[in-house]
Amino acid sequence: MFYVYLIKSINSPNQKYIGFSSDLKQRIKDHNNGKSIHTSKFKPWELITYLSFSDERQAKEFEYYLKTHSGQAFANKRLWK
């Protein structure tokens, strides 16, 4: 399976991140252990939601969509708490 996930910083709730992984549990651990340059300064992170895909290309395309202007509007309305 392939996952598109949304995480939010616990200490800085305005900091959000959208990512892709084939190993969601390990990827969240990596974010919280500072192994990602983009998220290390805002750790710890909490998982808000994730979507699973059986097709890697579909997952990557959905992640890309969520990072566009219309995708951000969708995520703000439907996916973020």
Side-chain angles (χ1 to χ4, degrees):
M1 296 300 289
F2 302 95
Y3 304 93
V4 176
Y5 60 92
L6 289 79
I7 57 176
K8 180 169 59 172
S9 172
I10 293 171
N11 295 333
S12 302
N14 290 334
Q15 296 297 318
K16 299 174 180 178
Y17 183 83
I18 297 169
F20 163 86
S21 180
S22 61
D23 186 345
L24 183 60
K25 288 181 183 181
Q26 184 59 50
R27 189 65 181 132
I28 300 302
K29 286 180 187 177
D30 290 347
H31 284 296
N32 284 322
N33 288 328
K35 293 184 179 181
S36 171
I37 295 170
H38 300 290
T39 61
S40 62
K41 59 188 163 208
F42 298 109
K43 63 183 183 171
W45 293 86
E46 68 175 322
L47 179 64
I48 300 302
T49 195
Y50 68 91
L51 297 100
S52 59
F53 296 81
S54 58
D55 183 87
E56 181 177 11
R57 193 183 101 234
Q58 280 186 319
K60 287 182 177 181
E61 287 175 358
F62 189 68
E63 177 201 19
Y64 177 80
Y65 165 71
L66 290 179
K67 292 179 177 182
T68 67
H69 185 69
S70 61
Q72 289 174 15
F74 171 79
N76 286 335
K77 186 173 184 180
R78 301 285 183 210
L79 301 176
W80 293 109
K81 288 184 181 177

Coordinates of all heavy atoms in Angstrom, one line a residue:
M1 N 0.8 -1.2 0.0 CA 0.0 0.0 0.0 C 0.9 1.2 0.0 O 2.0 1.2 0.5 CB -0.9 0.0 1.2 CG -1.9 -1.1 1.3 SD -3.1 -1.2 -0.1 CE -4.1 0.2 0.2
F2 N 0.3 2.3 -0.5 CA 1.0 3.6 -0.5 C 0.1 4.6 0.2 O -1.1 4.6 0.0 CB 1.2 4.0 -2.0 CG 2.1 3.0 -2.7 CD1 1.4 2.0 -3.5 CD2 3.4 3.0 -2.6 CE1 2.2 1.1 -4.1 CE2 4.2 2.1 -3.3 CZ 3.6 1.1 -4.0
Y3 N 0.7 5.5 0.9 CA -0.1 6.4 1.8 C 0.2 7.9 1.5 O 1.4 8.3 1.3 CB 0.3 6.1 3.3 CG 0.0 4.7 3.6 CD1 1.0 3.8 3.6 CD2 -1.3 4.3 4.0 CE1 0.8 2.4 3.9 CE2 -1.5 2.9 4.3 CZ -0.5 2.0 4.3 OH -0.7 0.7 4.6
V4 N -0.8 8.7 1.5 CA -0.7 10.1 1.5 C -1.2 10.5 2.9 O -2.2 10.1 3.4 CB -1.6 10.8 0.4 CG1 -1.5 12.3 0.5 CG2 -1.1 10.3 -0.9
Y5 N -0.3 11.3 3.6 CA -0.7 11.6 5.0 C -0.6 13.1 5.3 O 0.1 13.8 4.6 CB 0.3 10.8 6.0 CG 1.7 11.1 5.8 CD1 2.3 12.1 6.5 CD2 2.5 10.4 4.8 CE1 3.7 12.4 6.4 CE2 3.8 10.7 4.7 CZ 4.4 11.7 5.4 OH 5.7 12.0 5.2
L6 N -1.3 13.5 6.3 CA -1.3 14.9 6.8 C -0.9 14.9 8.2 O -1.5 14.2 9.0 CB -2.7 15.5 6.6 CG -3.1 15.8 5.2 CD1 -3.7 14.5 4.5 CD2 -4.2 16.8 5.2
I7 N 0.1 15.6 8.6 CA 0.6 15.8 9.9 C 0.6 17.2 10.3 O 0.7 18.1 9.5 CB 2.0 15.1 10.2 CG1 3.0 15.7 9.3 CG2 1.9 13.6 10.0 CD1 4.5 15.2 9.5
K8 N 0.5 17.4 11.6 CA 0.5 18.8 12.2 C 1.4 18.8 13.4 O 1.4 17.9 14.2 CB -0.9 19.2 12.6 CG -1.1 20.6 13.2 CD -2.5 21.0 13.4 CE -3.3 20.2 14.2 NZ -4.6 20.7 14.5
S9 N 2.2 19.9 13.5 CA 3.1 20.1 14.6 C 2.3 20.2 15.9 O 1.4 21.0 16.0 CB 4.0 21.3 14.4 OG 4.8 21.6 15.6
I10 N 2.7 19.5 16.9 CA 2.1 19.6 18.2 C 2.4 21.0 18.9 O 1.6 21.6 19.5 CB 2.4 18.4 19.2 CG1 1.8 17.2 18.6 CG2 2.0 18.7 20.6 CD1 2.3 15.9 19.2
N11 N 3.7 21.4 18.8 CA 4.1 22.6 19.5 C 3.8 23.9 18.7 O 3.7 25.0 19.2 CB 5.6 22.6 19.8 CG 6.0 21.5 20.8 OD1 5.1 21.1 21.6 ND2 7.2 21.0 20.7
S12 N 3.7 23.7 17.4 CA 3.4 24.9 16.5 C 2.2 24.4 15.5 O 2.4 24.1 14.4 CB 4.6 25.2 15.6 OG 5.7 25.6 16.4
P13 N 1.0 24.5 16.1 CA -0.1 23.9 15.3 C -0.4 24.5 13.9 O -1.1 23.9 13.1 CB -1.3 24.1 16.2 CG -0.7 24.3 17.6 CD 0.6 24.9 17.4
N14 N 0.2 25.7 13.7 CA 0.0 26.3 12.3 C 0.9 25.6 11.3 O 0.7 25.8 10.1 CB 0.2 27.8 12.4 CG -0.8 28.5 13.1 OD1 -2.0 28.1 13.2 ND2 -0.5 29.7 13.7
Q15 N 1.8 24.8 11.7 CA 2.8 24.1 10.8 C 2.1 22.8 10.5 O 1.9 21.9 11.3 CB 4.1 23.9 11.5 CG 4.8 25.2 11.8 CD 5.1 26.0 10.5 OE1 5.5 25.4 9.5 NE2 5.0 27.3 10.6
K16 N 1.9 22.6 9.2 CA 1.3 21.4 8.7 C 2.2 20.8 7.5 O 2.9 21.6 6.9 CB -0.1 21.7 8.1 CG -1.1 22.3 9.1 CD -2.4 22.7 8.4 CE -3.3 23.2 9.4 NZ -4.6 23.7 8.8
Y17 N 2.0 19.5 7.3 CA 2.9 18.9 6.3 C 2.0 17.8 5.6 O 1.3 17.1 6.3 CB 4.1 18.3 6.9 CG 5.1 17.7 5.9 CD1 6.0 18.5 5.2 CD2 5.1 16.3 5.7 CE1 6.8 17.9 4.3 CE2 5.9 15.7 4.8 CZ 6.8 16.5 4.1 OH 7.7 15.9 3.2
I18 N 2.2 17.7 4.3 CA 1.5 16.6 3.5 C 2.6 15.8 2.9 O 3.6 16.4 2.3 CB 0.6 17.2 2.5 CG1 -0.5 18.0 3.1 CG2 0.1 16.1 1.5 CD1 -1.3 18.9 2.1
G19 N 2.5 14.5 3.1 CA 3.6 13.6 2.5 C 3.1 12.3 1.9 O 1.9 12.1 2.0
F20 N 4.0 11.6 1.4 CA 3.8 10.3 0.8 C 4.7 9.3 1.3 O 5.9 9.6 1.6 CB 4.0 10.4 -0.7 CG 4.1 9.1 -1.5 CD1 3.0 8.4 -1.9 CD2 5.4 8.6 -1.7 CE1 3.2 7.2 -2.6 CE2 5.5 7.4 -2.3 CZ 4.4 6.7 -2.8
S21 N 4.3 8.0 1.5 CA 5.2 7.0 2.0 C 4.6 5.6 1.7 O 3.3 5.5 1.6 CB 5.4 7.1 3.5 OG 6.3 6.1 3.9
S22 N 5.4 4.6 1.6 CA 4.9 3.2 1.5 C 5.0 2.6 2.9 O 4.5 1.5 3.1 CB 5.8 2.5 0.5 OG 7.1 2.4 0.9
D23 N 5.6 3.2 3.9 CA 5.7 2.7 5.3 C 5.3 3.9 6.2 O 6.2 4.6 6.7 CB 7.1 2.2 5.5 CG 7.2 1.5 6.9 OD1 6.3 1.7 7.7 OD2 8.3 0.9 7.1
L24 N 4.0 4.0 6.4 CA 3.5 5.2 7.2 C 4.1 5.2 8.6 O 4.5 6.3 9.1 CB 2.0 5.1 7.2 CG 1.3 6.3 7.8 CD1 1.7 7.6 7.2 CD2 -0.2 6.1 7.8
K25 N 4.0 4.1 9.3 CA 4.5 4.1 10.7 C 5.9 4.6 10.8 O 6.3 5.4 11.7 CB 4.3 2.8 11.3 CG 2.9 2.4 11.6 CD 2.8 1.0 12.3 CE 1.4 0.6 12.5 NZ 1.2 -0.7 13.1
Q26 N 6.8 4.1 9.9 CA 8.2 4.5 10.0 C 8.4 5.9 9.6 O 9.2 6.6 10.1 CB 9.0 3.6 9.1 CG 10.5 3.9 9.1 CD 11.1 3.7 10.5 OE1 10.9 2.7 11.2 NE2 11.8 4.7 11.0
R27 N 7.6 6.4 8.6 CA 7.7 7.8 8.2 C 7.4 8.7 9.3 O 8.0 9.8 9.4 CB 6.9 8.0 6.9 CG 7.1 9.3 6.3 CD 8.5 9.4 5.7 NE 8.7 10.7 5.1 CZ 9.8 11.4 5.3 NH1 10.8 11.0 6.1 NH2 9.9 12.6 4.7
I28 N 6.3 8.4 10.0 CA 5.9 9.3 11.1 C 7.0 9.3 12.2 O 7.4 10.4 12.7 CB 4.6 8.9 11.8 CG1 3.5 8.9 10.7 CG2 4.2 9.7 13.0 CD1 3.3 10.3 10.0
K29 N 7.6 8.2 12.5 CA 8.7 8.1 13.4 C 9.9 8.9 12.9 O 10.6 9.6 13.7 CB 9.2 6.6 13.6 CG 8.3 5.8 14.4 CD 8.8 4.4 14.5 CE 7.9 3.4 15.2 NZ 8.3 2.1 15.3
D30 N 10.2 8.9 11.6 CA 11.3 9.7 11.0 C 11.0 11.1 11.2 O 11.9 11.9 11.6 CB 11.4 9.3 9.6 CG 12.0 8.0 9.3 OD1 12.5 7.3 10.2 OD2 11.9 7.5 8.1
H31 N 9.8 11.6 11.0 CA 9.5 13.0 11.2 C 9.7 13.4 12.7 O 10.3 14.4 13.0 CB 8.0 13.3 10.9 CG 7.7 13.4 9.4 ND1 8.3 14.4 8.6 CD2 7.0 12.6 8.6 CE1 7.9 14.2 7.3 NE2 7.1 13.1 7.3
N32 N 9.3 12.5 13.6 CA 9.4 12.9 15.0 C 10.8 12.7 15.6 O 11.1 13.2 16.6 CB 8.4 12.0 15.8 CG 7.0 12.6 15.7 OD1 6.8 13.8 15.7 ND2 6.0 11.7 15.6
N33 N 11.7 12.0 14.8 CA 13.1 11.8 15.2 C 14.0 12.8 14.5 O 15.2 12.8 14.6 CB 13.6 10.4 14.9 CG 13.0 9.4 15.9 OD1 12.7 9.8 17.1 ND2 12.7 8.2 15.5
G34 N 13.4 13.8 13.8 CA 14.2 14.8 13.1 C 14.9 14.4 11.8 O 15.8 15.0 11.4
K35 N 14.5 13.3 11.2 CA 15.2 12.8 10.0 C 14.7 13.5 8.7 O 15.3 13.2 7.7 CB 15.0 11.3 9.9 CG 15.7 10.6 11.1 CD 15.6 9.1 10.9 CE 16.4 8.4 12.0 NZ 16.3 6.9 11.9
S36 N 13.8 14.4 8.8 CA 13.3 15.1 7.6 C 13.7 16.6 7.8 O 13.4 17.2 8.8 CB 11.8 15.0 7.5 OG 11.4 15.9 6.4
I37 N 14.5 17.1 6.8 CA 14.9 18.5 6.9 C 13.7 19.5 7.0 O 13.7 20.4 7.8 CB 15.8 18.9 5.7 CG1 17.0 18.0 5.7 CG2 16.0 20.3 5.6 CD1 17.8 18.1 4.4
H38 N 12.7 19.2 6.3 CA 11.5 20.1 6.2 C 10.7 20.1 7.5 O 10.0 21.1 7.7 CB 10.6 19.7 5.0 CG 11.3 19.8 3.7 ND1 11.7 21.0 3.1 CD2 11.7 18.8 2.9 CE1 12.3 20.7 2.0 NE2 12.3 19.4 1.8
T39 N 10.7 19.1 8.3 CA 9.9 19.0 9.5 C 10.6 19.0 10.8 O 10.0 19.1 11.9 CB 9.0 17.8 9.4 OG1 9.8 16.6 9.4 CG2 8.0 17.8 8.2
S40 N 11.9 18.8 10.8 CA 12.7 18.6 12.0 C 12.5 19.7 13.1 O 12.5 19.5 14.3 CB 14.2 18.4 11.7 OG 14.7 19.5 11.1
K41 N 12.5 21.0 12.6 CA 12.4 22.1 13.6 C 11.1 22.3 14.2 O 10.9 23.0 15.2 CB 12.9 23.4 12.9 CG 12.1 23.8 11.7 CD 12.7 25.0 11.1 CE 12.2 25.2 9.7 NZ 13.1 25.8 8.7
F42 N 10.0 21.6 13.7 CA 8.7 21.7 14.3 C 8.2 20.4 15.0 O 7.0 20.3 15.3 CB 7.7 22.2 13.2 CG 8.0 23.5 12.6 CD1 8.5 23.6 11.3 CD2 7.9 24.6 13.4 CE1 8.8 24.8 10.8 CE2 8.2 25.9 12.8 CZ 8.7 26.0 11.5
K43 N 9.1 19.5 15.3 CA 8.7 18.3 15.9 C 8.3 18.5 17.4 O 8.7 19.5 18.0 CB 9.8 17.2 15.8 CG 11.1 17.6 16.5 CD 12.1 16.5 16.3 CE 13.3 16.9 17.1 NZ 14.3 15.9 17.2
P44 N 7.5 17.7 18.0 CA 6.9 16.5 17.5 C 5.7 16.7 16.6 O 5.0 17.8 16.7 CB 6.5 15.7 18.8 CG 6.2 16.8 19.7 CD 7.1 17.9 19.4
W45 N 5.3 15.7 15.8 CA 4.2 15.8 14.9 C 3.1 14.8 15.3 O 3.4 13.7 15.9 CB 4.7 15.5 13.5 CG 5.6 16.5 13.0 CD1 7.0 16.6 13.2 CD2 5.3 17.6 12.2 NE1 7.5 17.7 12.5 CE2 6.4 18.3 11.9 CE3 4.1 18.1 11.7 CZ2 6.5 19.5 11.2 CZ3 4.1 19.3 10.9 CH2 5.3 20.0 10.7
E46 N 1.9 15.1 15.0 CA 0.8 14.2 15.2 C 0.1 13.9 13.8 O 0.0 14.8 13.0 CB -0.3 14.7 16.1 CG -1.1 15.9 15.7 CD -2.2 16.3 16.6 OE1 -2.8 15.5 17.2 OE2 -2.4 17.5 16.7
L47 N -0.2 12.7 13.6 CA -0.9 12.3 12.4 C -2.3 12.7 12.4 O -3.1 12.4 13.4 CB -0.8 10.7 12.2 CG -1.5 10.1 11.0 CD1 -0.8 10.6 9.7 CD2 -1.5 8.6 11.1
I48 N -2.8 13.5 11.5 CA -4.1 14.0 11.4 C -5.0 13.0 10.6 O -6.1 12.6 11.1 CB -4.2 15.4 10.8 CG1 -3.4 16.4 11.6 CG2 -5.6 15.9 10.6 CD1 -3.8 16.5 13.0
T49 N -4.6 12.7 9.4 CA -5.3 11.7 8.6 C -4.4 11.1 7.6 O -3.3 11.6 7.3 CB -6.5 12.3 8.0 OG1 -7.4 11.3 7.5 CG2 -6.2 13.3 6.8
Y50 N -4.8 10.0 7.0 CA -4.1 9.4 5.9 C -5.0 8.7 5.0 O -6.1 8.3 5.4 CB -3.0 8.4 6.4 CG -3.5 7.2 7.0 CD1 -3.7 6.0 6.2 CD2 -3.8 7.1 8.4 CE1 -4.2 4.9 6.8 CE2 -4.2 6.0 9.0 CZ -4.5 4.8 8.2 OH -5.0 3.7 8.8
L51 N -4.6 8.6 3.7 CA -5.4 7.9 2.7 C -4.5 6.8 2.1 O -3.3 7.1 1.9 CB -5.9 8.8 1.6 CG -6.8 9.9 2.2 CD1 -6.1 11.2 2.4 CD2 -8.0 10.1 1.3
S52 N -5.0 5.6 1.9 CA -4.2 4.6 1.4 C -4.6 4.3 -0.1 O -5.8 4.4 -0.4 CB -4.3 3.3 2.2 OG -5.6 2.9 2.3
F53 N -3.6 3.9 -0.9 CA -3.8 3.6 -2.3 C -3.1 2.3 -2.6 O -2.0 2.1 -2.1 CB -3.2 4.8 -3.1 CG -3.8 6.1 -3.0 CD1 -3.5 6.9 -1.9 CD2 -4.8 6.6 -3.9 CE1 -4.1 8.2 -1.7 CE2 -5.4 7.8 -3.7 CZ -5.0 8.6 -2.7
S54 N -3.7 1.6 -3.5 CA -3.0 0.4 -3.9 C -2.0 0.7 -5.1 O -1.1 0.0 -5.4 CB -3.9 -0.7 -4.3 OG -4.8 -0.3 -5.4
D55 N -2.3 1.8 -5.8 CA -1.5 2.3 -6.9 C -0.6 3.4 -6.5 O -1.0 4.5 -6.1 CB -2.4 2.7 -8.0 CG -1.7 3.1 -9.3 OD1 -1.4 2.2 -10.1 OD2 -1.4 4.3 -9.5
E56 N 0.7 3.2 -6.7 CA 1.7 4.3 -6.3 C 1.5 5.6 -7.1 O 1.6 6.6 -6.5 CB 3.1 3.7 -6.5 CG 4.2 4.7 -6.1 CD 5.6 4.2 -6.2 OE1 5.8 3.1 -6.9 OE2 6.5 4.8 -5.7
R57 N 1.3 5.5 -8.4 CA 1.1 6.7 -9.2 C -0.1 7.5 -8.7 O 0.0 8.7 -8.6 CB 1.0 6.3 -10.6 CG 1.1 7.5 -11.5 CD 0.9 7.2 -13.0 NE -0.5 7.6 -13.3 CZ -1.4 6.9 -13.9 NH1 -1.1 5.7 -14.2 NH2 -2.6 7.4 -14.1
Q58 N -1.2 6.8 -8.4 CA -2.4 7.5 -7.9 C -2.1 8.2 -6.6 O -2.5 9.4 -6.4 CB -3.6 6.6 -7.7 CG -4.3 6.2 -8.9 CD -5.5 5.4 -8.6 OE1 -5.5 4.5 -7.8 NE2 -6.6 5.7 -9.3
A59 N -1.4 7.6 -5.7 CA -1.0 8.2 -4.4 C -0.2 9.4 -4.6 O -0.4 10.5 -4.0 CB -0.3 7.2 -3.5
K60 N 0.8 9.3 -5.5 CA 1.7 10.5 -5.7 C 0.9 11.6 -6.4 O 1.2 12.8 -6.1 CB 2.9 10.1 -6.6 CG 3.9 9.3 -5.8 CD 5.1 8.9 -6.6 CE 6.1 8.1 -5.8 NZ 7.3 7.8 -6.6
E61 N 0.0 11.3 -7.3 CA -0.8 12.3 -7.9 C -1.7 13.0 -6.9 O -1.9 14.2 -7.0 CB -1.6 11.7 -9.1 CG -0.7 11.4 -10.3 CD -1.5 10.7 -11.4 OE1 -2.7 10.4 -11.2 OE2 -0.9 10.4 -12.4
F62 N -2.2 12.2 -6.0 CA -3.1 12.8 -5.0 C -2.3 13.7 -4.0 O -2.8 14.8 -3.6 CB -3.9 11.8 -4.2 CG -4.9 12.3 -3.3 CD1 -6.1 12.9 -3.9 CD2 -4.8 12.3 -1.9 CE1 -7.1 13.5 -3.0 CE2 -5.8 12.8 -1.1 CZ -6.9 13.4 -1.7
E63 N -1.1 13.3 -3.6 CA -0.2 14.1 -2.8 C 0.0 15.5 -3.5 O -0.1 16.5 -3.0 CB 1.1 13.4 -2.5 CG 2.0 14.3 -1.7 CD 3.5 13.9 -1.8 OE1 3.8 13.1 -2.7 OE2 4.2 14.3 -0.9
Y64 N 0.4 15.4 -4.8 CA 0.6 16.6 -5.6 C -0.6 17.5 -5.6 O -0.5 18.7 -5.5 CB 1.1 16.2 -7.0 CG 1.3 17.4 -7.9 CD1 2.5 18.1 -7.8 CD2 0.3 17.8 -8.8 CE1 2.7 19.2 -8.6 CE2 0.5 18.9 -9.6 CZ 1.7 19.6 -9.5 OH 1.9 20.7 -10.3
Y65 N -1.8 16.9 -5.8 CA -3.0 17.7 -5.9 C -3.2 18.4 -4.5 O -3.6 19.6 -4.5 CB -4.2 16.7 -6.1 CG -5.5 17.4 -5.8 CD1 -6.0 18.4 -6.6 CD2 -6.3 17.0 -4.7 CE1 -7.3 19.0 -6.3 CE2 -7.5 17.5 -4.4 CZ -8.0 18.6 -5.2 OH -9.2 19.2 -4.9
L66 N -3.0 17.7 -3.4 CA -3.2 18.4 -2.1 C -2.3 19.5 -1.9 O -2.5 20.4 -1.1 CB -3.0 17.3 -1.0 CG -4.1 16.3 -0.9 CD1 -3.8 15.3 0.3 CD2 -5.5 16.9 -0.7
K67 N -1.2 19.6 -2.6 CA -0.2 20.7 -2.5 C -0.5 21.9 -3.4 O 0.1 22.9 -3.4 CB 1.2 20.2 -2.7 CG 1.6 19.2 -1.5 CD 3.0 18.7 -1.7 CE 3.4 17.8 -0.5 NZ 4.7 17.3 -0.6
T68 N -1.5 21.7 -4.3 CA -1.9 22.8 -5.2 C -2.9 23.7 -4.4 O -3.4 23.3 -3.4 CB -2.6 22.2 -6.5 OG1 -3.9 21.6 -6.1 CG2 -1.7 21.3 -7.2
H69 N -3.2 24.8 -5.0 CA -4.2 25.7 -4.4 C -5.5 25.1 -4.2 O -6.1 25.2 -3.1 CB -4.3 27.0 -5.2 CG -5.1 28.1 -4.6 ND1 -4.8 28.7 -3.5 CD2 -6.4 28.5 -4.9 CE1 -5.7 29.6 -3.1 NE2 -6.7 29.4 -4.0
S70 N -6.1 24.5 -5.2 CA -7.4 23.8 -5.0 C -7.4 22.6 -4.1 O -8.3 22.4 -3.3 CB -8.0 23.5 -6.4 OG -7.2 22.5 -7.0
G71 N -6.3 21.9 -4.1 CA -6.1 20.8 -3.2 C -6.0 21.2 -1.8 O -6.5 20.6 -0.8
Q72 N -5.3 22.4 -1.5 CA -5.2 22.9 -0.2 C -6.6 23.3 0.3 O -7.0 23.1 1.5 CB -4.3 24.1 -0.1 CG -2.8 23.7 -0.3 CD -1.9 24.9 -0.4 OE1 -2.3 26.0 -0.1 NE2 -0.7 24.7 -0.8
A73 N -7.4 23.9 -0.6 CA -8.8 24.3 -0.2 C -9.6 23.0 0.2 O -10.3 23.0 1.2 CB -9.5 25.0 -1.3
F74 N -9.5 22.0 -0.6 CA -10.1 20.7 -0.3 C -9.7 20.2 1.0 O -10.5 19.8 1.9 CB -9.9 19.7 -1.4 CG -10.4 18.3 -1.1 CD1 -11.7 18.0 -1.2 CD2 -9.5 17.4 -0.7 CE1 -12.1 16.7 -0.9 CE2 -9.9 16.1 -0.4 CZ -11.2 15.7 -0.5
A75 N -8.4 20.1 1.2 CA -7.8 19.5 2.5 C -8.3 20.4 3.7 O -8.6 19.8 4.7 CB -6.3 19.5 2.4
N76 N -8.3 21.7 3.5 CA -8.7 22.5 4.7 C -10.2 22.3 5.0 O -10.6 22.3 6.2 CB -8.5 24.0 4.4 CG -7.0 24.4 4.4 OD1 -6.2 23.8 5.1 ND2 -6.7 25.4 3.7
K77 N -11.0 22.0 4.0 CA -12.4 21.8 4.3 C -12.7 20.4 4.7 O -13.6 20.2 5.5 CB -13.2 22.1 3.0 CG -14.7 22.1 3.1 CD -15.4 22.6 1.9 CE -16.9 22.7 2.1 NZ -17.6 23.1 0.9
R78 N -12.0 19.4 4.2 CA -12.4 18.0 4.4 C -11.4 17.2 5.2 O -11.8 16.2 5.8 CB -12.5 17.3 3.1 CG -13.6 18.0 2.2 CD -15.0 17.6 2.7 NE -15.9 18.2 1.8 CZ -17.1 18.6 2.2 NH1 -17.5 18.5 3.4 NH2 -18.0 19.1 1.3
L79 N -10.1 17.5 5.3 CA -9.1 16.6 5.9 C -8.5 17.1 7.2 O -8.1 16.3 8.0 CB -8.0 16.3 4.8 CG -8.5 15.7 3.5 CD1 -7.4 15.5 2.6 CD2 -9.2 14.3 3.8
W80 N -8.2 18.4 7.3 CA -7.6 18.9 8.5 C -8.6 19.0 9.6 O -9.8 19.3 9.3 CB -6.9 20.2 8.3 CG -5.8 20.2 7.4 CD1 -5.7 20.7 6.1 CD2 -4.5 19.7 7.6 NE1 -4.5 20.5 5.5 CE2 -3.7 19.8 6.5 CE3 -3.9 19.0 8.7 CZ2 -2.4 19.4 6.4 CZ3 -2.6 18.6 8.6 CH2 -1.8 18.8 7.5
K81 N -8.3 18.8 10.8 CA -9.2 19.0 12.0 C -9.4 20.4 12.2 O -8.6 21.3 12.1 CB -8.6 18.3 13.2 CG -8.7 16.8 13.2 CD -8.2 16.3 14.5 CE -8.2 14.8 14.5 NZ -7.7 14.2 15.7

